[in-house]
Amino acid sequence: MSRLQAREITDADQARRLVEERGLSHVKVGMFDIDGVMLGKYMGREKFFSALEKGVAFCDVVLGWDSKDELYDNVRFTGWHTGYPDAPLRILPESCREVPAEGDMLLFLAEFDGRAEALCPRGVLRRVLARAAELGYTARAALEYEFFLFQETPESIREKGFRHLRPFTPDMMGYSMLRSSVHGELYHDLLGMAEAMDFPIEGLHTETGPGVLEAAIAVDEALAAADKAALFKTFTKVWAQRRGLMATFMAKWSPDYPGQSGHIHLSLREAAGGRSAFFDAAAPDRMSDVQRHFVAGQQALMPELLAMLAPTVNSYTRLIPGFWAPTDATWGVENRTTALRVIPGGDAAQRVEYRLGSADANPYLAMAAAIASGLHGIEHRLEPDPPVTGNAYDRDHPAHQALPRTLWEAAQRLRGSAAAREFFGDDFVEHFAATREWEERQFRRHITDWELERYFEII
């Protein structure tokens, strides 16, 4: 019997066999929380074997705290009032991956089960994809991320108070062959890690800004694409720190440079026959009726679902004119100044790029919002506004295209969205909106350097 490979695993029996073949005493098990932060632990071999059959439990505080481990005081699902009980999770054998930096170590993903499934980011996306299947479609997706690299460590950035950080490389050198060649070994190292962990990168280049890179992850079925994006963000940070560097996926770390995007390329295919549901060779820009309705739904619901694509206070510093980020719910054909960019192509390439999302978004929730809004358009046969040609920043747009300007406003729009409740469920909408309100409240407790410099002496 041939030795199994990690990416060949499809069921619990094969997972058990692979662990035994490698003689592992422990494996890694991880899941993604509401902010897209990966949490997990090393799990002993026998406990893992049991968890494959019966599931495992984590303290549900992981759904009740923020990205700094501060406990929410405004959510119903868990808290001091519930005593923070365990929440069940199921292991996903088919998610098995190598962990290149740890010898023969294996990583398995898990997702929340039981009551907690209503809040599980991966579960939210699964429910949206089930809705697509009911309509006769499968979704394919690819995410691309911009991220900055710094010659810093977790200790040095704190010693500096997160100021005067040293980028990995200087100056504005987008698409630089010089930079990628001088640092070729590092690029190859990242590309190799991505291949080994099954989130292959099909494009990697410098972007505009000191030390900024953009990576395009290869297309896959939507749920697998979200897994790959979430793992890419986590293990790119691991990869960087192991090399004395730091990577950040903040939406905007400096007012002097463009923000960091998390663009989502999406297409639907017909479940029966496998043809593109978006491609029509005879239609203008090859947009089928289905794609036109899909884009219309994305445009219509963008203001209501923005919190799922721009989930932090920092996200909204990116959404300003002239910095390659959209400011209204606009669309156009091959137009990078709009929020939605329709990309004409053949059966395999006709798609829409959802350009609104920032790099700090949870990939599962960002993709769920982008797909659900498109399905809403198909179900209601919505028609989009006229496409924008030219510069979307230099013209006025209808009031209904305006996007929320703060996280607080976005949370209120989400909480009041009937479509969000229909696609994601009341429990998720109430919980996620509350967590975003908490995030804004945390921000309001702090005095910024800008306020001190502006008001301390003169007012």
Side-chain angles (χ1 to χ4, degrees):
M1 185 180 295
S2 62
R3 288 177 60 86
L4 282 168
Q5 301 300 313
R7 296 310 295 142
E8 297 174 348
I9 302 303
T10 60
D11 58 39
D13 288 340
Q14 290 179 330
R16 186 181 299 104
R17 179 183 147 198
L18 180 60
V19 172
E20 290 173 340
E21 283 182 355
R22 295 196 176 191
L24 297 177
S25 63
H26 293 76
V27 298
K28 278 188 158 178
V29 174
M31 93 290 285
F32 292 92
D33 73 5
I34 208 78
D35 285 297
V37 176
M38 193 175 193
L39 308 172
K41 59 185 174 183
Y42 290 98
M43 186 177 290
R45 168 176 167 155
E46 296 307 317
K47 184 171 183 178
F48 174 70
F49 289 167
S50 173
L52 283 170
E53 302 298 332
K54 301 175 183 177
V56 68
F58 273 53
C59 175
D60 77 359
V61 73
V62 299
L63 293 170
W65 64 23
D66 65 14
S67 58
K68 298 291 285 184
D69 291 4
E70 294 285 341
L71 300 173
Y72 299 130
D73 64 6
N74 61 339
V75 298
R76 293 197 300 264
F77 177 80
T78 191
W80 295 120
H81 61 286
T82 68
Y84 292 109
D86 280 347
L89 294 103
R90 51 179 168 265
I91 307 292
L92 305 170
E94 68 278 10
S95 70
C96 181
R97 282 169 164 81
E98 308 280 353
V99 186
E102 299 187 44
D104 284 336
M105 180 56 62
L106 297 172
L107 169 69
F108 291 85
L109 298 183
E111 62 182 8
F112 290 98
D113 203 353
R115 263 187 75 232
E117 186 172 2
L119 309 185
C120 177
R122 197 174 191 274
V124 170
L125 177 56
R126 276 196 298 99
R127 293 194 292 276
V128 170
L129 296 176
R131 181 76 160 261
E134 291 172 4
L135 295 173
Y137 304 113
T138 60
R140 291 180 65 76
L143 288 94
E144 54 188 32
Y145 286 105
E146 295 163 350
F147 60 99
F148 276 83
L149 282 176
F150 295 90
Q151 296 187 51
E152 301 288 351
T153 67
E155 293 75 27
S156 72
I157 60 170
R158 286 165 173 81
E159 290 168 0
K160 293 180 175 184
F162 295 87
R163 298 178 186 87
H164 310 298
L165 304 182
R166 186 180 181 189
F168 174 59
T169 54
D171 214 345
M172 315 284 266
M173 299 186 70
Y175 293 97
S176 172
M177 189 60 71
L178 175 64
R179 291 283 185 255
S180 62
S181 299
V182 169
H183 300 286
E185 293 85 357
L186 197 74
Y187 280 66
H188 284 285
D189 206 14
L190 177 58
L191 293 170
M193 184 267 290
E195 289 287 340
M197 296 196 72
D198 192 38
F199 41 83
I201 297 170
E202 65 176 23
L204 178 65
H205 62 87
T206 59
E207 257 293 352
T208 298
V212 63
L213 301 179
E214 179 175 312
I217 305 168
V219 66
D220 207 332
E221 298 298 320
L223 187 59
D227 288 338
K228 292 179 179 185
L231 287 165
F232 167 79
K233 289 179 64 177
T234 299
F235 282 92
T236 294
K237 288 181 278 192
V238 172
W239 164 85
Q241 290 193 31
R242 289 178 65 88
R243 285 151 185 81
L245 303 171
M246 290 200 74
T248 182
F249 289 83
M250 277 185 70
K252 198 172 178 75
W253 77 273
S254 167
D256 298 325
Y257 309 116
Q260 300 182 96
S261 64
H263 297 162
I264 309 171
H265 291 253
L266 285 169
S267 65
L268 295 184
R269 303 196 74 80
E270 296 173 357
R275 294 179 303 178
S276 170
F278 281 4
F279 175 69
D280 182 347
D285 301 308
R286 303 173 192 169
M287 288 180 69
S288 69
D289 291 344
V290 170
Q291 186 178 27
R292 196 176 68 254
H293 298 321
F294 190 88
V295 169
Q298 290 185 314
Q299 183 180 41
L301 293 186
M302 191 177 290
E304 298 178 21
L305 306 186
L306 181 61
M308 296 172 68
L309 292 128
T312 71
V313 171
N314 183 247
S315 302
Y316 295 80
T317 64
R318 170 179 166 267
L319 302 180
I320 57 176
F323 273 84
W324 295 100
T327 53
D328 294 276
T330 54
W331 78 280
V333 179
E334 282 291 12
N335 191 335
R336 285 183 169 86
T337 70
T338 56
L340 300 166
R341 171 188 168 221
V342 169
I343 303 173
D347 179 86
Q350 183 83 16
R351 63 195 188 277
V352 59
E353 180 187 20
Y354 203 110
R355 294 180 56 79
L356 180 70
S358 53
D360 59 1
N362 183 327
Y364 297 104
L365 299 184
M367 196 180 298
I371 295 173
S373 54
L375 298 178
H376 174 81
I378 293 172
E379 290 180 341
H380 294 275
R381 302 185 67 81
L382 299 182
E383 293 294 335
D385 294 334
V388 174
T389 58
N391 187 354
Y393 298 124
D394 68 359
R395 65 194 66 189
D396 294 328
H397 299 287
H400 65 265
Q401 292 182 4
L403 298 174
R405 299 305 186 198
T406 67
L407 181 58
W408 185 273
E409 182 187 350
Q412 307 319 303
R413 293 295 299 273
L414 179 67
R415 191 187 291 281
S417 172
R421 292 178 181 276
E422 178 186 353
F423 277 95
F424 313 131
D426 289 334
D427 288 341
F428 171 78
V429 170
E430 290 292 337
H431 184 82
F432 188 72
T435 67
R436 299 311 95 186
E437 291 167 350
W438 162 272
E439 194 76 9
E440 179 104 0
R441 283 168 47 212
Q442 293 298 98
F443 172 70
R444 291 179 187 175
R445 293 172 53 192
H446 294 277
I447 308 302
T448 66
D449 291 347
W450 183 90
E451 291 169 279
L452 288 169
E453 181 182 351
R454 190 171 185 87
Y455 303 128
F456 189 94
E457 179 181 9
I458 200 68
I459 291 296

